[in-house]
């Protein structure tokens, strides 16, 4: 035992050095940016712009991360194909609903109804794809070691990506721009792009809705029961397969909605759009503490903020060229830092052995 | 019994071998070998373009350009032309593997490709070492036609970054009279090369580069880097020689960034395609795009676009279909020029002769302009046109 | 008779086959496959795919029934076959109803429709397709109820013929230098094989199968049974010797292109061996394995490049240990912060590490040192006694040596104390620690040794290509390596080789379908994991575990 403690100490020192190094770099960069005037001179408005962009991006990550977290909660499986659920719904709804509605002028005449229709279609398609994937690629492997469904998930991700590419082509599809959402709103004197404001509000509504669904409804209780212990849940008369399907459907619906919000902000969709946000959302879910809904939300927001504020704040402060290119470096370094301090994520509970 | 079957098989083979060897023969005198195309055989070309992964639309679009060129041409010297499409994967190992595959088939006359410069470097070496020849429709890296690094079998119809980046800088300074510019690239060799050349030339001509920013190609949110650029100047002129997805994103979001409202937007031929205009919509109005003069309104190109739409069901998804079309025609012209034809229709194509003919290409009228090759394989029309987006179309305005 | 139920099953199977056919058509695969001849002038790959759907549907319908009678089988076959035709017919009619559908579904082209309607007009073609598919459905059903003595030779004849035709690339490349041009043209078309070769293979396969089932099998088994212990040992030794010799002469047989493919496979085997130690032995899920590959490649590139970025202008052999050493160092450095992370936390952090390395390689920050987006050019080739290695065949031997070393090290480690410690770690970290296993050094050793193989692969990769660009080092490589060790059988050394052959070699041979390669790759991953979750060549331990799980399940013991 004594030897073990000695080693932990030694490693502990290295870890402390690592943390200290990152903190020093961040503080040094920030100080030289803010007080020594290294790099560009930003105004307060610029900083607010960075913050808002980060928050909007972060709320999208949060919505996608929910799907990861929900599925992980019940199956302890990394659903690599989650980003593809997003893409499938968004592409389909854009091509078959949004573009015709926009061309006919319906969308600009009834923006709210129009967007709702588009969103519902996207969610339905995403749910359909998710259920099909679950049925074909995951369900038969429920008792297999955990790496096996990870591989089928990767397979499903490739499959759907290239399936939809074959279906809709590889070209970029423009997402229609709503007249009412052009320009900015002033919120407390801060100018915020309308699309971003809508994304943030919509995300918050959906997050709360989901939280209520999981915590207050019977189905939500069933999901939590299955997450706790599948066998006991089955003994309690819960249809485990059905509950798992519902979990997938819920996550995919969130992804479908997130995809449409994504289209609204960036005004273009294509077959590869799900992959990178999917990975970022997975990162966000882990950052927040995988399996936890508030964790996914927080993780998403933090990740969005790191990516947006980090490069101008401390990378530029260090005089690094092309700072924005390195946003992923910041995102992942922060992830490591957070996980060193709190191996269970920001709000995650300490996972029991079998879950981790 | 087994032995009898075996003997019968051998007998069949021998008879067939003899039968195939009959007939009159053309003598191959080429120093690096010949391709012999039998009377009923097609002339085989290969392409090595990126047709998988995230850059797919770029390579597929070029491949369609090649296919249409072949369709338009019909038979060459009485032989149909067939294409063996390969994938360069947009990376060095893809270029190497596809080139190795191509040179292992002695029937392949020439290769159209690669899409990406990274794939082009190893491919050029293998193709050249084995006596083949390649014409790339979209490699733009200066190193490929650098006098010290050039491989003997390498040509391209795409513009060298050095030419195009410089042209845009000249246009900005001399025509628009701007003095403060910013450049953005996405870490791809093409965009990084153009942005660097532009910046150097711009400074040389007396301008100031207020920001040189890089964005990850996978990024969706470009507001943050644009805000950084706005704070750095703000510039009067924003140059982002990237591909369509990121290009349309920047075009659309630049308006939303404070300090960039009046900035002049400019990009390169990476976005010179109808699908960019569709994706970027109104935001692209008034922006400048450098690239070959595609002669919009030009007769061949109109015909090309109609055929493209008919055959593939979409508008061109990327810019280099035109270069690919020209590259294919270059190769087919050269084949027509050097092939020896026997009475029975057999063709003999000398590989060195084919190379020489390709390097000697001069004054060929293509979609991308007048194509003339120099000794290092740069064939693109040196005239870089700058077009402005007006009323949802590219309108050439300079020179 | 439960004919009601049968028909419902037949309808389900038929519709399913039809939907799959519809999917294959709508993504453009069918049309693309149609340009590939299998048997020149007779059969294209597209036709094979299209027509095998109703055939297999019919076959499948009769499958559960044992050897049923002709009548019900025929009815089931008709239903399944005809229903297979329904979704494609719906697509044909859709194009009549909405001619603009192609604006949305870009691959629903007139060529595809004409292919589906068998060359006739839409309406006539639809009916024709219905009839043809119904007939094929019956054929499939009938095929299943044929007596084994006829069915087996037919299966092997068709299987060999079609397999040969699909992979004609392989035989083409092997035979081209051996056979004369005239002979080659008699046997192979520009794509696919000629009817003559098809007939020869078909007849030969049938003949051999009949011969084998008649007396060959018996003779082989009796001879095997008669062998003494010593003889068995000797025959095993002989087959090992034959194996080694054939590995040595392999590239000479294969020719340049296939050797290149084998080289690629070899590099992935090398990486797989390393990742197998990390994931398979020690159970540490690493999704950023490409990082060490990149580090090995870049160190080799910088040290040996003759270009502007090169420092040292070292020889390959001098740079090799430095490249591998740097990779090991990086592996250990990554290992320290993640020591206390488990499972999926570890997965995402390693994934992040891989991305960090890739982004840094692309970045402007390091451009002055490692070339940024423009990469490193003019990397030196290895030389042995003044002989420069340039061709795929030269690298084949280099990679073979590397793989041999990796297999040796991995198998020795597996059976050594360290290997058992890793496996204890994999099963239960806390228990392992309680048993006195030194977690820190055990984990760091796994990361370090794993990284060494990857660094070695990277160094060879870099020398082989002579130029490297950040594009080559993306997440897909990590995913590919992880997939291949799991598809092969986690923790199993032969599994790594099999996995690499299936997941790297096979897609490489189907390069001409690159557009659909990833789609097929994805489907292949799913299909293989469902068919054999323990992997294609599982290690004995995994096999036992899977069987234990099955037994438990059978006994009703859950979890």
């Amino acid at each position: 035992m004594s030897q073990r403690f000695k080693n932990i100490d030694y490693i502990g020192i290295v870890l402390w050095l690592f943390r200290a190094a990152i903190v020093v770099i961040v503080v040094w960069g920030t100080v030289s940016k803010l007080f020594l005037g290294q790099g560009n001179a930003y105004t307060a408005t610029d900083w607010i712009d960075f913050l808002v962009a980060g928050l909007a991006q972060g709320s999208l990550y949060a919505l996608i991360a929910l799907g990861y977290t929900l599925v992980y909660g019940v199956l302890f499986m990394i659903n690599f194909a989650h980003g593809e659920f997003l893409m499938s719904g968004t592409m389909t709804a854009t091509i078959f609903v949004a573009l015709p509605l926009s061309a006919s002028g319906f969308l600009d005449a009834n923006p709210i109804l129009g967007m709702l229709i588009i969103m519902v279609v996207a969610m339905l398609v995403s749910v359909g794809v998710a259920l099909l994937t679950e049925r074909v690629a995951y369900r038969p492997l429920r008792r297999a070691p955990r790496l096996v469904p990870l591989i089928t998930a990767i397979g499903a991700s490739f499959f759907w990506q290239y399936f939809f590419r074959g279906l809709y082509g590889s070209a970029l599809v423009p997402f229609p721009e709503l007249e009412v959402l052009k320009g900015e709103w002033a919120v407390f004197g801060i100018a915020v792009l309308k699309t971003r404001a809508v994304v943030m509000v919509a995300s918050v509504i959906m997050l709360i809705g989901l939280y209520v669904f999981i915590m207050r409804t019977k189905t939500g209780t069933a999901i939590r029961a299955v997450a706790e212990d599948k066998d006991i849940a089955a003994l309690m008369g819960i249809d485990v397969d059905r509950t798992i399907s519902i979990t997938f459907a819920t996550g995919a619906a969130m992804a479908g909605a997130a995809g449409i919000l994504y289209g609204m902000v960036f005004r273009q969709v294509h077959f590869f759009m799900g992959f990178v946000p999917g990975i970022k959302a997975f990162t966000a879910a882990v950052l927040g503490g995988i399996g936890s809904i508030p964790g996914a939300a927080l993780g998403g927001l933090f990740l969005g903020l790191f990516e947006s504020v980090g490069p101008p704040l401390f990378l530029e402060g260090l005089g690094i060229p092309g700072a924005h290119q390195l946003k992923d470096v910041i995102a992942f370094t922060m992830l490591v830092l957070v996980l060193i301090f709190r191996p269970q994520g920001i709000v995650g509970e300490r996972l029991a052995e079998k879950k981790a | 019994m087994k032995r009898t079957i075996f003997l019968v098989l051998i007998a069949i083979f021998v008879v067939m071998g003899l039968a195939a060897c009959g007939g009159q023969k053309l003598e191959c005198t080429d120093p690096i070998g010949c391709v012999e195309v039998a009377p009923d055989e097609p002339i085989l070309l290969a392409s090595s373009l990126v047709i998988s992964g995230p850059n797919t639309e770029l390579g597929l679009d070029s491949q369609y350009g090649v296919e249409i060129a072949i369709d338009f041409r019909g038979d060459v010297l009485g032989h149909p032309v067939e294409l063996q499409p390969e994938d360069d994967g947009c990376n060095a190992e893809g270029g190497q593997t596809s080139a190795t595959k191509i040179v292992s088939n002695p029937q392949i006359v020439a290769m159209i490709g690669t899409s990406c410069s990274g794939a082009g470097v190893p491919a050029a070496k293998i193709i050249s070492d084995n006596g083949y020849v390649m014409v790339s429709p979209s490699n733009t890296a200066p190193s490929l036609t650098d006098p010290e690094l050039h491989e003997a079998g390498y040509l391209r119809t795409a513009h060298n970054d050095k030419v195009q980046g410089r042209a845009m800088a000249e246009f900005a300074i001399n025509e628009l009279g701007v003095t403060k510019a910013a450049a953005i690239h996405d870490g791809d060799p093409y965009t990084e090369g153009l942005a660097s050349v532009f910046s150097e030339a711009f400074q040389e001509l007396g301008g100031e580069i207020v920001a040189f920013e890089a964005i990850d190609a996978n990024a969706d949110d470009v507001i943050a880097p644009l805000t950084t650029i706005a704070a750095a100047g703000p510039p009067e002129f924003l140059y982002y020689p990237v591909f369509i997805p990121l290009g349309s994103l920047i075009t659309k979001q630049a308006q939303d960034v404070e300090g960039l409202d009046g900035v002049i937007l400019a990009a390169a031929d990476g976005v010179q395609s109808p699908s960019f205009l569709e994706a970027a919509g109104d935001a692209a109005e008034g922006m400048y795009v450098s690239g070959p003069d595609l002669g919009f309104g030009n007769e061949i190109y109109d015909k090309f676009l109609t055929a493209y739409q008919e055959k593939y069901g979409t508008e061109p998804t990327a810019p280099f279909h035109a270069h690919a079309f020209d590259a294919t025609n270059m190769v087919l012209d050269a084949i027509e020029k050097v092939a020896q034809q026997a009475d029975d229709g057999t063709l003999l194509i000398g590989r060195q002769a084919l190379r020489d003919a390709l390097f000697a290409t001069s004054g060929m009228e293509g979609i991308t302009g007048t194509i003339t090759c120099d000794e290092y394989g740069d064939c693109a029309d040196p005239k870089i046109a700058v077009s402005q987006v007006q009323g949802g179309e590219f309108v050439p305005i300079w020179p | 008779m439960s004919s009601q139920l049968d028909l419902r099953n037949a309808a389900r199977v038929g519709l399913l086959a039809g939907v799959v056919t519809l999917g294959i058509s709508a993504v453009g695969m069918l049309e693309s496959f149609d340009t590939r001849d299998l048997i020149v002038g007779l059969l294209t790959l597209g036709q094979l795919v299209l027509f095998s759907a109703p055939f297999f549907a019919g076959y499948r319908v009769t499958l559960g029934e044992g050897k049923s009678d002709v009548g019900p089988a025929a009815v089931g076959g008709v239903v399944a076959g005809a229903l297979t035709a329904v979704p494609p017919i719906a697509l044909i009619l859709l194009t009549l109803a909405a001619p603009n559908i192609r604006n949305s579904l870009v691959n629903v082209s007139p060529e595809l429709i004409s292919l589906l309607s068998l060359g006739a007009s839409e309406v006539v073609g639809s009916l024709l397709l219905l009839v043809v598919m119904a007939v094929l459905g019956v054929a499939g059903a009938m095929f299943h109820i044929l007596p084994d003595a006829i069915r087996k030779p037919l299966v092997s004849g068709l299987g060999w013929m079609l397999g040969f035709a699909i992979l004609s690339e392989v035989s083409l490349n092997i035979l081209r230098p051996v056979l004369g041009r005239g002979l080659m043209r008699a046997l192979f078309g520009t794509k696919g094989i000629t009817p003559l070769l098809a007939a020869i293979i078909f007849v030969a396969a049938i003949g051999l199968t009949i011969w084998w089932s008649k007396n060959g099998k018996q003779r082989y088994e009796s001879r095997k049974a008669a062998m003494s212990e010593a003889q068995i040992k000797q025959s095993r030794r002989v087959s090992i010797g034959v194996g080694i010799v054939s590995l040595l002469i392999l590239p000479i047989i294969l020719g340049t292109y296939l050797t290149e493919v084998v080289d690629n496979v070899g590099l992935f085997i090398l990486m797989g061996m390393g990742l197998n130690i990390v994931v398979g032995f020690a159970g540490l899920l690493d999704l950023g394995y490409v990082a060490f590959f990149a580090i090995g490649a870049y160190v080799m590139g910088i040290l040996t490049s003759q270009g502007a970025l090169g420092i040292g202008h070292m020889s390959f052999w001098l740079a090799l240990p430095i490249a591998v050493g740097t990779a090991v160092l990086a592996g250990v450095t990554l290992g320290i912060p993640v020591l206390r992370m488990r499972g999926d936390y570890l997965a995402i952090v390693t994934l992040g590490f891989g991305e960090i390395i890739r982004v840094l390689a692309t970045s402007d920050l390091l451009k002055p040192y490692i070339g940024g987006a423009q990469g490193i050019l003019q990397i030196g080739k290895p030389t042995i006694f003044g002989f420069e290695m340039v061709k795929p065949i030269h690298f084949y031997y280099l990679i073979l040596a590397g793989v041999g070393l990796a297999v040796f090290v991995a198998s020795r480690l597996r059976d050594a104390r360290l290997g058992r410690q890793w496996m204890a770690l994999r099963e239960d970290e806390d228990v392992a620690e309680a048993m006195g296993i030194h977690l820190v050094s055990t984990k760091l050793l796994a990361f370090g040794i794993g990284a060494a193989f990857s660094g070695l692969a990277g160094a060879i990769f870099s020398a082989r290509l002579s130029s490297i660009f950040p594009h080559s080092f993306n997440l897909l490589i990590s995913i590919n390596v992880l997939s291949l060790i799991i598809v092969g059988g986690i923790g199993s050394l032969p599994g790594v080789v099999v996995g690499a052959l299936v997941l790297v070699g096979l897609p490489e041979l189907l390069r001409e379908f690159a557009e659909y390669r990833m789609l097929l790759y994805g489907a292949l991953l799913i299909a293989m994991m469902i068919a054999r979750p323990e992997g294609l060549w599982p290690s004995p331990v995994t096999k036992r575990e899977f069987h234990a799980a099955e037994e438990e399940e059978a006994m009703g013991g859950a979890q």
Side-chain angles (χ1 to χ4, degrees), chain C residues 250-325:
Chain C
L250 190 66
I252 300 164
I253 301 171
L254 288 181
T256 317
Y257 167 58
L258 291 177
T259 307
E260 176 78 18
V261 172
V262 174
D263 283 2
N264 273 337
V265 174
L267 283 181
F268 273 92
I269 293 178
L270 200 50
M271 283 194 274
M273 286 292 164
L275 190 63
N276 196 32
I277 289 179
V278 184
V279 181
F281 292 173
L284 305 162
L285 180 52
D286 186 345
L287 286 181
Y289 196 59
V290 68
F292 312 116
F293 182 65
I295 288 170
Y298 266 97
V299 171
M300 173 59 75
I302 292 169
L303 291 181
T304 65
S305 170
Q306 302 298 317
L309 293 166
I311 46 171
H313 306 291
M314 289 182 191
S315 76
F316 173 84
W317 301 108
L318 198 58
L320 189 64
I322 304 179
V324 174

Side-chain angles (χ1 to χ4, degrees), chain A residues 4 7 72 136 146 166 353, chain C residues 107 342 344 433 438 475 530:
Chain A
R4 180 190 156 193
N7 287 311
Y72 192 88
V136 173
R146 298 184 35 216
E353 177 62 8
Chain C
N107 275 315
R342 284 179 178 178
D344 301 316
E433 198 174 14
H438 195 307
L475 180 60
I530 288 181

Side-chain angles (χ1 to χ4, degrees), chain A residues 205-236:
Chain A
I205 293 173
M206 275 189 264
L207 283 173
I208 294 175
L210 184 75
Y211 196 74
V212 170
F213 171 71
I214 297 289
M215 293 321 231
R216 294 271 186 276
T217 65
K218 215 170 166 186
T219 323
T221 314
I223 292 178
R224 280 185 291 138
V226 171
E228 205 60 47
D229 192 318
K230 282 194 237 351
D231 296 313
I232 307 250
L235 287 180
M236 296 293 161

Side-chain angles (χ1 to χ4, degrees), chain A residues 3-22:
Chain A
Q3 200 194 352
R4 180 190 156 193
F5 280 115
K6 223 172 14 192
N7 287 311
I8 294 292
D9 270 345
Y10 163 67
I11 290 302
I13 290 169
V14 177
L15 287 184
W16 271 109
L17 284 178
F18 183 79
R19 292 173 219 191
I22 293 180

Side-chain angles (χ1 to χ4, degrees), chain A residues 40-43 45-47 49-50 53-54 57 61 162 165 170-175 177 182-184 191 193 195-196 262 265-268 270-273 276-277 307-309 312 316 321-328, chain B residues 51-54 56-57 60 185-187 210-216 218-233 244-246 248-249 252-253 255-258 275 278-280 282-283 314-315 317:
Chain A
N40 302 320
Y42 293 114
T43 61
T45 334
D46 290 336
W47 287 116
D49 281 349
F50 285 131
Q57 185 77 9
Y61 288 157
Y162 287 86
R165 194 197 86 186
S170 53
L172 204 62
V173 181
F175 191 88
E177 193 177 355
K182 282 184 179 162
E184 297 178 329
L193 285 176
T195 45
R196 279 165 206 271
Y262 190 97
V265 176
F266 301 117
R267 287 171 258 159
Q268 57 191 39
H270 60 120
F271 80 97
F272 209 66
M273 68 182 287
V276 176
E307 286 189 358
S308 171
V309 180
E316 265 185 39
H324 285 284
Q325 195 178 24
L326 300 176
K327 70 182 173 108
D328 285 1
Chain B
I51 47 178
S52 68
T56 306
E57 74 275 16
L60 214 49
H185 73 84
D186 70 359
V210 294
F212 188 81
E213 192 54 65
I215 302 181
D216 193 70
N218 296 327
D220 356 88
D221 197 353
V222 297
I223 289 266
L226 288 177
T227 307
T228 296
I229 288 172
I244 293 171
L246 190 58
S248 73
L249 210 52
K252 286 190 265 193
Q253 298 200 3
Q255 324 163 306
D256 296 340
V257 175
E258 228 167 299
S275 74
E278 197 180 302
D282 295 343
T314 116
E315 288 188 321
T317 50

Side-chain angles (χ1 to χ4, degrees), chain C residues 51 85 90 98 106 194 196 220 272 274 309 332 366 428 431 443 482 497 530 539 556 559:
Chain C
F51 295 131
V106 292
T194 55
L196 175 72
Y220 173 76
L309 293 166
V332 174
L366 297 179
D428 194 319
V431 173
K443 278 190 178 181
L482 183 68
V497 179
I530 288 181
S539 67
Q559 196 62 304

Side-chain angles (χ1 to χ4, degrees), chain C residues 170-244:
Chain C
V170 178
S171 39
L172 192 69
N173 271 289
I174 294 175
L175 293 178
R176 187 148 41 206
V178 185
L179 301 181
R181 206 167 116 65
L183 207 48
M184 283 302 287
R185 289 199 48 215
L187 298 180
F188 295 95
T190 41
K191 296 165 180 172
I193 59 178
T194 55
L196 175 72
L197 182 59
I200 292 174
I201 297 170
F202 186 66
V203 171
I206 286 186
L208 278 177
T209 315
I210 293 176
W211 174 79
W212 175 253
S213 63
K214 278 245 171 76
N215 45 25
K217 193 175 175 190
Q218 235 170 3
R219 221 186 286 173
Y220 173 76
E221 272 169 4
S222 63
R223 195 181 297 170
K224 203 174 165 192
M227 272 200 287
S228 69
E229 193 84 344
Q231 272 174 316
I232 289 177
K233 246 183 203 164
Q234 198 195 355
S235 83
R236 183 175 291 170
R237 228 173 287 145
V238 168
S239 46
I240 289 177
V242 170
I244 291 176

